[in-house]
């Protein structure tokens, strides 16, 4: 940590009884509701989330404490420390302490990230023009349109972050905005009220609590992944042995007559839902399911493989339904099936091993990227005419027709870009996909800032 950010002296001063008691009040504002709700101690947060996050959270409370005035001698710890011990500190350190003294925690949307150098931050609460922030470590992990709670302070002619920086999910953002609306008397308002700096200073604990409740819930609850039917994702391979003397031609002839199957080639069929649903469910991103031109969802695939007929689908419910349909259709042509089930985690862990066993089967990266991007183009273009939950269940094209809707559309595209950018591998086709066409097509390019 640079010398100008060294607060060790100030932290030692915190051990004085009068300041220690004052800090306890601020500490309780930031953590008591979470600790009481979970019947935990503060040390438990470090155990669950890791010590680095515990230190960052403590820093959020400490920086809030530095801004506050108390009914003790000196009133504010920064003022009192600089008066009594300021001669020990460098000019840079004193300037940093003074900047924190008047700092405000706010929520920012980041863009134009230059790793190791800087980023642009737009205040989502107070508004105003975006500002450039000089930052080394955080810029190496942040992605375009990430949202962070932080204190931005001027130092040596640049803007820098304080020590307490928290990345906010959409859910944590909603919780924060709800808390601010409740705190400032606008419980039923759709928009945030105008909040002045002094009001935002008083609300610093709301940022910590919103982030902590959301993050602890995620850490302590394993979310299940589901398909568009709401079924838990469990990948099923159902293999039907062909009956004695039955050939692939016998089975293919019967399958080619079935209305709910779309034949791709001599040995492969796509299983489609029989009655396409109009409109479909509202969704915030790409579904785990794909659709065909008439809107019917793809429920699975059926393939002839040697002396077996194989049904592949992504849930137990669909596997059972598909099994029933195949047995009703083919009857004595097939025998009782053999079933193999894999979880999402198992599928992901098996992929590298399979690739190493058969390098000749690997798809060249440039071809894989082209295939994935074409698939995403098709999926996202379909989404433009489907209801989206983040847009009030309007389609993106409908929402883009009003001023309020255009703002929501811009936020939605930013969400998509942000999620795409969060792929662990920056070269992943999902991470390299460009949403530029969507900004142009929906006419909201001017809001991309």
């Amino acid at each position: 940590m640079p010398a100008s950010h060294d607060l060790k002296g100030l932290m030692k001063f915190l051990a004085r009884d009068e300041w220690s008691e004052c800090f306890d009040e601020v500490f309780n504002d930031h953590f008591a509701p979470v600790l009481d709700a979970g019947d935990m101690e503060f040390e438990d947060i470090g155990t669950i989330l890791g010590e680095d996050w515990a230190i960052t959270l403590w820093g959020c409370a400490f920086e809030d404490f530095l801004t506050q005035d108390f009914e003790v001698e000196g009133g504010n710890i920064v003022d009192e420390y600089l008066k009594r011990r300021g001669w020990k500190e460098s000019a840079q350190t004193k300037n940093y302490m003074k900047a924190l003294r008047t700092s405000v925690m706010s929520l920012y949307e980041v863009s134009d990230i230059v790793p190791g150098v800087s980023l642009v931050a737009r205040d989502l609460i107070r508004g105003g023009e975006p500002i450039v922030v000089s930052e080394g470590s955080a810029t190496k992990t942040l992605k375009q349109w990430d949202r962070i709670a932080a204190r931005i302070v001027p130092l040596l002619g640049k803007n820098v972050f304080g020590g307490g920086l928290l990345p906010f999910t959409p859910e944590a953002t909603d919780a924060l905005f709800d808390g601010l609306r409740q705190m400032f008397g606008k419980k039923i308002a759709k928009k945030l009220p105008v909040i002045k700096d002094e009001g935002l200073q008083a609300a610093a604990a709301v940022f910590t609590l919103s982030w902590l409740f959301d993050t602890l819930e995620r850490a302590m609850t394993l979310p299940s992944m589901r398909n568009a039917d709401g079924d838990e994702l469990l990948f099923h391979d159902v293999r039907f042995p062909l009956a004695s003397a039955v050939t692939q031609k016998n089975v293919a002839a019967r399958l080619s007559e079935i209305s709910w199957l779309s034949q791709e080639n001599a040995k492969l069929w796509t299983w489609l839902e029989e009655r396409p649903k109009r409109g479909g469910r509202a969704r915030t991103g790409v579904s785990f399911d794909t659709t065909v031109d008439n809107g019917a969802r793809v429920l699975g695939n059926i393939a002839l493989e040697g002396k077996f007929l194989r049904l592949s689908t992504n849930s137990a419910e669909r596997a059972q339904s598909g099994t029933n349909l195949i047995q009703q259709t083919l009857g004595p042509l097939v025998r009782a099936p053999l079933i193999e089930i894999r979880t999402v985690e198992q599928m992901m862990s098996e992929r590298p091993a399979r690739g190493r066993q058969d390098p000749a089967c690997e798809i060249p990266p440039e071809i894989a990227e082209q295939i994935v991007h074409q698939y995403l183009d098709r999926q996202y273009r379909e989404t433009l005419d489907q209801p989206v939950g983040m847009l009030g269940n309007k389609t993106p094209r409908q929402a883009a027709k009003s001023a309020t809707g255009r703002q929501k559309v811009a936020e939605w595209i930013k969400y998509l870009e942000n999620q795409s950018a969060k792929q662990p591998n920056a070269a992943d086709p999902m991470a390299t996909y460009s949403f530029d066409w969507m900004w142009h097509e929906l006419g909201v390019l001017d809001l991309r800032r």
Side-chain angles (χ1 to χ4, degrees), residues 361-375 427-430 432:
C361 293
E362 293 184 356
I363 302 174
E366 63 275 13
I367 301 300
E369 181 177 66
Q370 181 181 354
I371 292 172
V372 172
H373 287 184
Q374 288 176 348
Y375 168 79
D428 188 290
M430 292 288 289
T432 60

Side-chain angles (χ1 to χ4, degrees), residues 17-179:
D17 289 343
E18 67 272 24
W19 296 117
S20 179
E21 291 178 5
C22 293
F23 179 70
D24 285 344
E25 295 178 20
V26 177
F27 184 90
N28 286 333
D29 288 341
H30 282 256
F31 302 111
V34 172
L35 300 180
D36 291 345
D39 192 22
M40 299 187 298
E41 300 294 333
F42 183 76
E43 291 73 18
D44 294 327
I45 293 178
T47 301
I48 297 170
L49 302 182
E51 290 303 321
D52 287 346
W53 281 122
I55 293 171
T56 298
L57 289 164
W58 188 91
C60 290
F62 180 66
E63 289 179 345
D64 180 21
F65 169 67
L66 299 184
T67 70
Q68 298 195 28
D69 294 296
F70 300 91
E71 294 182 358
V72 297
E73 184 178 357
N76 174 270
I77 190 173
V78 174
D79 295 344
E80 186 69 2
Y81 176 78
L82 291 178
K83 178 181 176 181
R84 294 176 178 270
R85 299 284 187 272
W87 57 273
K88 291 184 173 183
E89 304 289 355
S90 68
Q92 291 182 19
T93 298
K94 287 190 284 187
N95 288 336
Y96 183 61
M97 290 180 182
K98 291 176 182 178
L100 285 177
R101 164 75 171 94
T102 58
S103 67
V104 177
M105 184 71 126
S106 193
L107 188 71
Y108 297 91
E109 179 183 78
V110 303
S111 61
D112 299 332
I113 301 167
V114 181
V117 180
S118 67
L119 56 77
V120 173
R122 181 169 70 93
D123 197 318
L124 298 177
I125 296 176
R126 294 177 294 177
E129 290 298 315
I131 60 175
V132 176
V133 181
S134 298
E135 168 58 33
S137 57
T139 52
K140 297 177 182 178
T141 56
L142 289 172
K143 304 297 182 183
Q144 182 86 342
W145 311 127
D146 269 351
R147 293 180 174 186
I148 58 172
R151 295 174 184 271
I152 298 178
V153 297
L155 186 68
L156 300 176
K158 298 180 179 180
N159 296 307
V160 300
F161 286 127
L165 187 152
L166 302 173
F168 265 58
T169 65
E171 292 77 14
T173 300
D174 289 342
L176 171 65
F177 287 176
D178 286 343

Side-chain angles (χ1 to χ4, degrees), residues 421-442:
K422 288 181 181 294
Q423 299 299 316
N425 181 1
D428 188 290
M430 292 288 289
T432 60
Y433 182 75
S434 173
F435 290 83
D436 288 350
W437 67 269
M438 191 180 290
W439 291 95
H440 287 279
E441 184 147 337
L442 294 175

Side-chain angles (χ1 to χ4, degrees), residues 147 169-171 173-174 281-285 386-396 399 404-419:
R147 293 180 174 186
T169 65
E171 292 77 14
T173 300
D174 289 342
R281 295 186 182 186
R283 58 185 183 178
T284 57
Q386 296 175 352
V388 174
M390 287 180 65
L391 305 180
N393 290 335
K394 293 182 178 180
T395 72
T404 301
R406 292 178 77 253
Q407 291 288 343
K408 291 182 178 179
V409 167
E411 295 299 320
W412 175 66
I413 302 177
K414 288 179 180 180
Y415 171 80
L416 297 179
E417 287 189 330
N418 180 251
Q419 296 303 300

Side-chain angles (χ1 to χ4, degrees), residues 139-393:
T139 52
K140 297 177 182 178
T141 56
L142 289 172
K143 304 297 182 183
Q144 182 86 342
W145 311 127
D146 269 351
R147 293 180 174 186
I148 58 172
R151 295 174 184 271
I152 298 178
V153 297
L155 186 68
L156 300 176
K158 298 180 179 180
N159 296 307
V160 300
F161 286 127
L165 187 152
L166 302 173
F168 265 58
T169 65
E171 292 77 14
T173 300
D174 289 342
L176 171 65
F177 287 176
D178 286 343
L180 293 176
R181 280 190 288 263
Q182 184 173 358
M183 185 173 183
F184 293 96
K186 300 288 184 179
K187 299 179 183 179
I188 61 174
K190 293 183 178 180
K191 294 183 178 180
L192 281 177
V194 176
I195 305 175
K196 296 181 179 180
D197 284 2
E198 55 267 28
L200 209 50
Q201 281 184 329
V206 180
F207 289 83
T208 305
L209 291 170
S210 300
W211 185 89
L212 196 46
F213 272 116
D214 175 67
T215 305
L216 283 174
E217 182 178 1
R218 292 173 183 275
M220 300 171 72
T221 303
L222 180 63
S224 61
M225 301 177 70
R226 300 181 179 275
N227 62 23
D229 291 332
D231 305 328
E232 183 178 0
L233 284 185
L234 285 173
F235 296 92
H236 284 62
D237 280 337
V238 186
R239 296 167 64 86
F240 298 84
L242 303 188
S244 179
V246 173
T247 66
Q248 287 191 358
K249 288 184 178 180
N250 299 143
V251 176
R254 188 70 62 86
L255 293 179
S256 64
E257 299 173 354
I258 301 174
S259 62
W260 44 269
L261 290 181
S262 174
Q263 189 163 4
E264 306 301 327
N265 57 46
K267 296 184 179 183
L268 179 63
W269 292 260
T270 300
W271 175 25
L272 305 174
E273 63 177 343
E274 294 189 72
R275 297 181 179 83
K277 297 178 181 179
R278 299 294 180 184
R281 295 186 182 186
R283 58 185 183 178
T284 57
V286 179
S287 168
F288 283 108
D289 290 316
T290 58
T291 59
V292 293
D293 291 342
N294 70 348
R297 281 179 295 137
V298 175
L299 304 182
N301 293 291
I302 296 173
L304 282 166
E305 300 176 347
K307 293 295 291 183
F308 289 89
L309 179 70
R310 177 185 177 189
L311 165 67
S312 302
T313 190
N314 65 11
S315 73
E317 291 79 3
R318 290 183 182 178
Q320 184 60 58
S321 177
T323 297
N324 293 340
L325 289 170
I326 287 174
Q327 290 177 329
Q328 292 169 11
T329 301
L330 299 180
L333 297 182
V334 294
R335 294 174 179 170
L338 308 172
I339 303 175
E340 182 181 5
I341 303 172
R342 295 185 184 91
T343 64
V344 174
E345 291 79 7
Q346 288 171 328
M347 291 285 285
M348 293 175 66
S349 65
E350 289 174 4
R351 282 183 179 178
R354 289 180 177 178
R356 287 192 294 269
Q357 290 171 2
D358 191 4
C361 293
E362 293 184 356
I363 302 174
E366 63 275 13
I367 301 300
E369 181 177 66
Q370 181 181 354
I371 292 172
V372 172
H373 287 184
Q374 288 176 348
Y375 168 79
L376 292 175
D377 278 340
R378 184 172 67 252
Q379 284 290 95
Y380 281 122
R381 287 191 182 280
E382 290 176 358
T383 303
L384 298 188
D385 295 303
Q386 296 175 352
V388 174
M390 287 180 65
L391 305 180
N393 290 335

